[in-house]
């Protein structure tokens, strides 16, 4: 009997000794321990959009907001702080610290509960990336095996790099670079020791230690990190005391930080057209041409003009009712606007706003809306005339005519009229455009010849032009951004430029896209300048008077379509071009007094008043190209060139005509 008991004891002793190895062997053979996701680590990364000055416009991400930091980007002090508080023997063990495990087991047994963990940095990385959070023996065994394999496959530096990019740091921040930017608005290299200590103290309990939620608790945790570093002799007394005393400023930002949603949406659309479908996960750095200060001004400009329009509409309706007239049924909720502003020379888009309120409507009317420009199109017709030898002094006929045509087999009549419902008889080309005379413009088209006009307009690259006289009234459709592109033909002295929104795109330290400038010769600088002088008078004394701003020369043209459906102001300073549109989204008429000059002109003026405040050094006067001839005609200056020649009689009357250089 004693022999049997003795043998049984020996067997049990052997089994007890072998059982861990048997269990370990079972788990080694029963599961496929795939660590490729950590060996070939490619986490989803946040893309960032910046304005032209490097200010962040927004973060774009899918589920996890993460900036990636290579090991070389991470300051050694961060590594020291992390190792000090989480895994002091990290550089000595092979993934598992058995001494720490045994100490933890003894403490847990004494306390009869889990009071201390013993996970190494490697184990924490494995647990976060490869395993679930279930508290089972099987999971712990898998964790040990994964950790051994990972330590064999990667260097310590690679493990630290993955850990500091993978771990959650609270407040929606994944990775230490993300947390440094979010909590402190700093690069990793600019962090103080206290800020580093706050960050490395977070992974233990991100929700508890997040400085945006529990600042004092977070500071206490950071001080323990600093004290541990001091105890280990890794920092001196002076550094220790200074770090303990510091109270860093912590920011509580939203994750997206979206300062210009219309820009973000438009960037996403354009990148998709480029074939880039992983904007939310690809870690791109997108540098735009936008000026965030001007973007904010553009938004406020639309809101300013919108509020004024609503106030007028209510006033007009009340007046109609008081006069026992039937008030026009105006759907005010449909009224909206758009504004686009760009650098005239480069085509860089400086501001782009697609509605009065993005929260109410994210549809981008500046790029996606297609509306008739109305009289804002007239300058293109007049530019053709000027390029053919007409001048501002050329006389045009401003009388009514009836045009007969056939439509669907029926005889039709068209009787266009001026907005003012009167006629001037003869009027100079300059005055016809300044006051937007429809009949003079139609007669100018007839004078040039519709066929020739259409041929000449091809140089502007304008699409879908109507093949009839309605072209004089701007009956084609285009977006505000498209009209802005065409207007650079005037604002850029005869050279039309392609608008740009994205300047460059970087990924992983490499530039994968850079804007390519594109320009088209339209006309000579002298001819474009003659147009500018006319459009300058539109603002000074014509239909665009409400668009004027003291202290800067502005040129532009109003546009109001039939029944006040669309209201435009397209214009420019010596360096910046801006187009404003207002109208009802359902294409119904606005109130009968809402014209381009009345509703869009003030938005344009508000914008440029604030441009001057932000950039008082901006160019304020138009340059006069070489070859411009200035002549005084009836007390007003008129401008000519070797193409648009001055009248002989006027030369004789005024022999002091000056050739300007």
């Amino acid at each position: 009997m004693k022999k049997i008991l003795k043998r049984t004891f020996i067997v049990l002793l052997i089994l007890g000794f072998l059982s861990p190895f048997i269990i370990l062997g079972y788990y080694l053979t029963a599961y496929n321990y795939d660590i490729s996701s950590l060996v070939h680590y490619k986490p989803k990364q946040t893309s960032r959009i910046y304005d032209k000055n490097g200010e962040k416009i927004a973060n774009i991400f899918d589920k996890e907001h993460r900036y990636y930091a290579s090991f070389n980007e991470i300051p050694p002090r961060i590594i020291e702080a992390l190792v000090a508080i989480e895994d002091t023997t990290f550089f000595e063990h092979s993934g598992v610290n058995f001494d720490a495990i045994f100490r933890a087991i003894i403490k847990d047994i004494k306390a009869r509960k889990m009071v201390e963990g013993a996970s190494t940095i490697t184990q924490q990385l494995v647990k976060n990336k490869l395993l679930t959070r279930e508290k089972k023996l099987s999971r712990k065994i898998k964790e040990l095996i994964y950790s051994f394999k990972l330590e064999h496959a990667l260097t310590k530096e690679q493990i630290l790099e993955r850990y500091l990019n993978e771990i959650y740091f609270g407040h929606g921040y994944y990775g230490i670079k993300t947390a440094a930017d979010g909590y402190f608005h700093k690069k990793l290299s600019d962090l103080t020791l206290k800020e580093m200590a706050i960050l490395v103290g977070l992974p233990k309990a991100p929700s508890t230690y997040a400085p945006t939620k529990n600042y004092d608790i977070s500071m206490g945790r950071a001080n323990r990190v600093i004290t541990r570093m001091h105890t280990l002799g890794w920092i001196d007394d002076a550094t220790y005391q200074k770090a303990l005393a510091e109270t860093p400023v912590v920011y509580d930002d939203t994750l997206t930080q979206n300062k210009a949603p219309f820009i973000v949406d438009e960037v996403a659309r354009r990148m998709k057209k480029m074939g880039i479908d992983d904007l939310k996960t690809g870690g791109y750095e997108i540098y735009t041409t936008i000026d965030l200060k001007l973007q904010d001004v553009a938004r406020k400009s639309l809101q300013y003009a919108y509020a004024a329009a609503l106030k007028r509409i209510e006033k007009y309706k009340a007046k109609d009712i008081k006069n026992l007239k039937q008030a026009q049924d105006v759907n005010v909720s449909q009224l909206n606007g758009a504004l686009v502003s760009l650098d005239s020379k480069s085509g860089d888009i400086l501001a782009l706003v697609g509605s009065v309120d993005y929260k109410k409507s994210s549809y981008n009317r500046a790029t996606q809306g297609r509306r008739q420009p109305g009289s804002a199109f007239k300058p293109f017709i007049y530019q053709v005339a000027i390029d053919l030898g007409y001048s501002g002094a050329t006389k045009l006929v401003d009388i009514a005519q009836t045009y007969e045509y056939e439509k669907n087999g029926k005889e039709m009549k068209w009787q266009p009229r001026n907005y003012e419902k009167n006629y001037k008889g003869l009027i100079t080309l300059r005055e016809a455009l300044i006051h937007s005379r429809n009949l003079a413009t139609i007669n100018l088209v007839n004078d040039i010849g519709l066929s020739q006009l259409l041929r000449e307009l091809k140089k502007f690259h304008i699409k879908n032009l109507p093949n009839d006289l309605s072209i004089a009234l701007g009956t084609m459709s285009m977006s505000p951004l498209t009209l802005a592109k065409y207007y650079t033909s005037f604002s850029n002295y005869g050279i039309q430029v392609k608008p740009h929104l994205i300047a460059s795109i970087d990924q992983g330290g490499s530039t994968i896209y850079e804007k390519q400038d594109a320009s088209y010769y339209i006309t000579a600088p002298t001819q474009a300048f003659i147009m500018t002088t006319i459009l300058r008078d539109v603002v000074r004394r014509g239909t665009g008077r409400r668009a004027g701003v003291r202290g800067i020369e502005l040129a532009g043209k109003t546009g109001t379509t039939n029944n006040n459906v669309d209201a435009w102001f397209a214009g420019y300073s010596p360096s910046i071009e801006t187009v404003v549109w207002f109208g009802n989204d359902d294409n119904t008429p606005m109130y009968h007094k809402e014209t381009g000059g009345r509703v869009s002109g003030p938005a344009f003026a508000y914008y440029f008043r604030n441009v001057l405040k932000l950039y008082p050094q901006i160019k304020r006067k138009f340059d006069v190209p070489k070859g411009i001839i200035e002549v005084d005609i009836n007390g007003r200056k008129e401008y000519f060139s070797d193409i648009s020649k001055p009248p002989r009689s006027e030369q004789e009357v005024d022999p002091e005509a000056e050739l300007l250089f």
Side-chain angles (χ1 to χ4, degrees), residues 32 161 235 324 366 425 552 604:
N32 175 28
E161 179 178 318
I235 57 174
L324 301 180
I552 187 169
F604 181 91

Side-chain angles (χ1 to χ4, degrees), residues 87-110:
D87 188 359
T88 309
T89 61
F90 172 75
F91 288 99
E92 300 166 16
H93 61 65
S94 298
V96 178
N97 187 338
F98 287 105
D99 290 340
I101 290 174
F102 290 139
R103 286 196 302 269
I105 290 172
I106 291 170
K107 289 184 179 180
D108 292 346
I109 291 172
K110 287 181 179 179

Side-chain angles (χ1 to χ4, degrees), residues 306 310 330-336 360 365 583-586:
Y306 177 77
L310 294 187
V330 178
N331 190 350
V332 175
S333 66
Q334 290 289 325
L335 182 63
N336 225 308
K360 293 181 179 179
R365 294 152 186 82
N584 288 336
D585 283 333
D586 60 359

Side-chain angles (χ1 to χ4, degrees), residues 264-379:
V264 172
D265 291 352
E266 189 63 24
V267 165
R269 275 192 289 271
R270 293 187 180 214
M271 289 184 67
K272 192 168 185 179
K273 285 184 178 180
M274 294 178 193
I276 300 174
D277 295 322
D278 60 341
L279 173 61
K280 292 184 177 182
T281 59
Y284 298 97
E285 291 186 300
I286 303 113
Y287 297 89
T288 71
T289 59
I290 292 297
D291 183 323
L292 269 177
K293 293 179 181 178
L294 295 183
Q295 179 73 13
D296 187 54
V297 167
R299 178 180 57 81
K300 291 177 180 176
S301 299
L302 283 182
Q303 292 174 346
Y304 166 81
Y306 177 77
L310 294 187
K311 189 175 181 180
R312 283 194 303 272
I313 290 170
E314 292 303 320
K315 179 181 176 182
Y316 296 148
K317 290 179 72 174
K319 185 178 179 181
D320 284 348
I321 294 171
K322 184 178 179 180
N323 294 337
L324 301 180
K325 296 178 181 178
Q326 184 178 1
Q328 183 177 348
D329 184 17
V330 178
N331 190 350
V332 175
S333 66
Q334 290 289 325
L335 182 63
N336 225 308
L339 185 152
V340 59
S341 182
L342 46 83
D343 182 293
S344 299
K345 189 172 183 179
S346 67
D348 288 350
I349 299 173
L350 303 174
L352 188 151
V353 183
S355 76
V356 173
D357 188 341
Y358 181 87
K359 293 179 180 178
K360 293 181 179 179
S361 176
S362 61
Y363 178 68
N364 194 334
R365 294 152 186 82
T367 59
Q368 297 173 293
R370 292 179 60 82
R371 306 292 286 247
Q372 293 184 5
S375 294
F377 182 77
K378 287 176 181 175

